[in-house]
Amino acid sequence: MELSNINRVYFVGIGGIGMSALARYFAKRGCVVCGYDKTRTALTAQLEQEGILISFLDEEETIPVAFREKYEDTLIVYTPAIPKDSAILNFFENKGFDLKKRSQVLGIISEGMYCVAVAGTHGKTTTSSMVAHILTDTGFGCTAFLGGITTNYQSNVLYSKNNVVVVEADEYDRSFLTLHPDVAVITSMDADHLDIYGDESHLHESFNLFADQLKPEGRLFIKDGLPIAGITYSATGQSAINAKNIRVDDGCFVFDFEDGYNTIKDLKLAMPGKHNVENATAAIGVALSLGIHPNSVKKAVASFKGVKRRFETIVKNDQHIYIDDYAHHPEELKACFDAVRQLYPEKKLTVIFQPHLFTRTRDFADAFASVLSSADDIVLLDIYPAREQPIEGIDSQMLLSKINNANKQLCAKESAIELIKNKNPELLLTVGAGDIDTLIEPLKNTLNHA
């Protein structure tokens, strides 16, 4: 399907962060855009305000007339998270529509463009957002499809008239194999999505296939230590591209960048943590490879405000500090905890964690328990199932039993606000990829008025 021929687009699962970015993109192009999602959220409300019609009933009758017959200019996009028995999904399948996944649509959009693709089991949202911000802030420009809401732009999609596109390349369901990037970044390859891949070796095989998709003259930036050949980057000082002299200054991480050709001193990064310094190092490497001047890059890095739910400071006053993060893998949790400890080493850390997926909780229970045990006070919510059905014996009680810490407890999500009100923590961290974000505003209000 040619991008120029698309005039009408329907999204089955429009409320997802990646799907909503595509919806906004096609609406910006002047297409008729509609969709379905099962849950109203702040994001779907924004889409509706932008003129996109959304139904929250999975019923055939809710599909607009314009999408009831198959036309050559009509595109139907779906997310694999939609159940196979969805009435709307089955309507389009039975009518013979050619349904596309989000990743396939990204492939259609990026075909013929200069594509920068950022992949990794974690770190890809922050890194791709940093790349997109540097390109935008310096005036270079880019269109970007991101897996989070950037604080600078309050959006998950950026627009530009030039021929450069930045995409977050998702490894789930091997989605990133629809892309053929000119520049690629791989931030991490830790075992994840084992419900899809079976084991870590098959996950690594998929990342190798992604690397092979790079165009002949393309550049591949690789986090040092990953088993793929490329331009290595790290914060260890032993890579082709390095962050050095890392320190904390007035709540910001400050570091120097070196790649053998360029040295940029005293870069300031508002997003804390060594892992984010490494993400910034990769983003800087990409920007310099596109010919952007180091001084412009330094200014852009300093002005990057981060991504919603990626180590986002919600409350910071004399009594309370509250940080929210999307971490949902043991390695992400560890990086997040380390960043908190670096910034606030003397404060008692209270953590509310919502496990994400039964399979992930099962596969990494011991690793989750090890990281969570390092907090001072742990509150576990029920597992957020997302696309999965329950697995016998796999629940938050099982995970709680493995945590080696006396200050631990289970809590229903609806009881969390009252619990935190009673605890009155000096340093609170909420983490998880499910619907724990619905607690952010109530917790913010509770702590601000405690």
Side-chain angles (χ1 to χ4, degrees):
M1 179 176 276
E2 295 287 334
L3 182 62
S4 59
N5 294 335
I6 300 171
N7 293 314
R8 290 180 280 195
V9 193
Y10 190 98
F11 290 86
V12 189
I14 197 170
I17 195 70
M19 293 280 277
S20 59
L22 285 176
R24 285 171 155 160
Y25 171 80
F26 281 107
K28 180 79 171 180
R29 287 180 62 89
C31 298
V32 175
V33 178
C34 301
Y36 155 77
D37 209 279
K38 68 175 183 178
T39 307
R40 290 183 184 274
T41 64
L43 184 51
T44 59
Q46 289 173 351
L47 295 179
E48 288 178 310
Q49 288 173 8
E50 292 164 21
I52 296 173
L53 180 66
I54 302 175
S55 166
F56 298 94
L57 293 173
D58 186 14
E59 297 174 359
E60 180 181 317
E61 293 74 21
T62 65
I63 300 171
V65 174
F67 294 93
R68 290 186 165 274
E69 297 296 332
K70 182 180 176 183
Y71 298 104
E72 289 185 0
D73 68 346
T74 301
L75 173 65
I76 309 298
V77 191
Y78 76 101
T79 170
I82 290 291
K84 295 192 184 305
D85 62 355
S86 161
I88 291 175
L89 189 67
N90 279 283
F91 170 84
F92 289 121
E93 287 177 341
N94 295 336
K95 279 280 191 178
F97 282 86
D98 182 17
L99 276 68
K100 302 285 188 187
K101 294 182 184 178
R102 167 184 171 271
S103 57
Q104 292 172 304
V105 178
L106 281 177
I108 293 170
I109 294 170
S110 62
E111 187 178 2
M113 298 183 75
Y114 189 94
C115 179
V116 179
V118 181
T121 46
H122 35 262
K124 57 182 175 288
T125 296
T126 299
T127 305
S128 58
S129 297
M130 285 180 176
V131 171
H133 173 69
I134 294 172
L135 268 55
T136 301
D137 187 75
T138 58
F140 185 92
C142 68
T143 297
F145 298 93
L146 308 170
I149 304 297
T150 56
T151 304
N152 290 79
Y153 309 100
Q154 292 298 311
S155 183
N156 50 352
V157 60
L158 302 179
Y159 310 98
S160 174
K161 293 181 179 179
N162 73 6
N163 200 41
V164 176
V165 61
V166 176
V167 300
E168 180 174 325
D170 190 2
E171 76 282 355
Y172 176 74
D173 202 22
R174 300 175 175 83
S175 291
F176 54 11
L177 299 184
T178 62
L179 301 169
H180 296 274
D182 296 88
V183 177
V185 180
I186 299 179
T187 63
S188 53
M189 290 166 46
D190 293 306
D192 200 4
H193 304 302
L194 298 186
D195 55 322
I196 298 294
Y197 289 102
D199 57 39
E200 191 171 18
S201 67
H202 286 93
L203 176 73
H204 285 193
E205 178 186 46
S206 193
F207 274 98
N208 275 281
L209 290 172
F210 170 71
D212 290 342
Q213 302 268 97
L214 196 70
K215 290 177 184 174
E217 302 301 318
R219 294 183 182 89
L220 177 61
F221 294 87
I222 297 289
K223 168 77 179 296
D224 196 19
L226 298 183
I228 295 182
I231 304 167
T232 57
Y233 69 89
S234 74
T236 65
Q238 305 299 317
S239 310
I241 300 175
N242 292 290
K244 295 183 175 181
N245 193 22
I246 303 168
R247 64 267 190 205
V248 177
D249 183 11
D250 194 28
C252 286
F253 271 59
V254 183
F255 64 100
D256 302 335
F257 173 94
E258 293 182 2
D259 64 1
Y261 305 96
N262 302 282
T263 298
I264 309 176
K265 295 282 190 180
D266 302 325
L267 285 142
K268 288 189 176 181
L269 181 66
M271 291 192 76
K274 178 184 172 183
H275 62 299
N276 282 321
V277 171
E278 288 184 322
N279 292 335
T281 301
I284 293 166
V286 170
L288 294 175
S289 76
L290 295 175
I292 299 176
H293 194 279
N295 289 343
S296 299
V297 171
K298 180 177 180 179
K299 176 177 172 289
V301 171
S303 67
F304 181 66
K305 297 178 182 177
V307 183
K308 295 287 186 183
R309 303 219 61 227
R310 268 62 174 189
F311 210 92
E312 184 181 7
T313 299
I314 308 298
V315 174
K316 188 175 183 180
N317 57 41
D318 292 341
Q319 288 77 39
H320 303 287
I321 295 168
Y322 169 30
I323 296 166
D324 177 62
D325 195 87
Y326 191 70
H328 55 284
H329 183 281
E331 290 299 319
E332 294 172 341
L333 278 183
K334 184 177 184 303
C336 182
F337 283 19
D338 287 347
V340 173
R341 296 295 193 191
Q342 284 176 288
L343 284 176
Y344 307 108
E346 304 301 322
K347 292 188 179 294
K348 177 183 175 182
L349 175 60
T350 299
V351 174
I352 305 178
F353 176 55
Q354 182 186 50
H356 185 260
L357 300 179
F358 296 103
T359 53
R360 184 180 284 126
T361 305
R362 176 197 64 198
D363 294 340
F364 303 110
D366 290 340
F368 275 125
S370 176
V371 179
L372 290 167
S373 296
S374 68
D376 298 299
D377 191 0
I378 306 111
V379 177
L380 271 188
L381 305 183
D382 291 332
I383 296 172
Y384 185 79
R387 57 187 177 269
E388 294 186 338
Q389 295 299 314
I391 299 173
E392 187 176 354
I394 306 301
D395 54 23
S396 289
Q397 179 61 55
M398 177 276 297
L399 181 56
L400 188 79
S401 69
K402 292 176 175 287
I403 296 173
N404 184 22
N405 191 317
N407 297 317
K408 61 180 182 179
Q409 66 185 99
L410 295 180
C411 179
K413 187 161 72 76
E414 54 270 22
S415 304
I417 307 303
E418 189 64 27
L419 179 68
I420 293 303
K421 185 176 180 180
N422 293 331
K423 284 181 178 290
N424 196 30
E426 59 175 349
L427 176 58
L428 176 65
L429 174 66
T430 50
V431 273
D435 61 358
I436 191 172
D437 60 322
T438 61
L439 295 179
I440 294 174
E441 283 301 315
L443 286 171
K444 177 181 177 180
N445 292 334
T446 297
L447 295 176
N448 274 331
H449 296 96

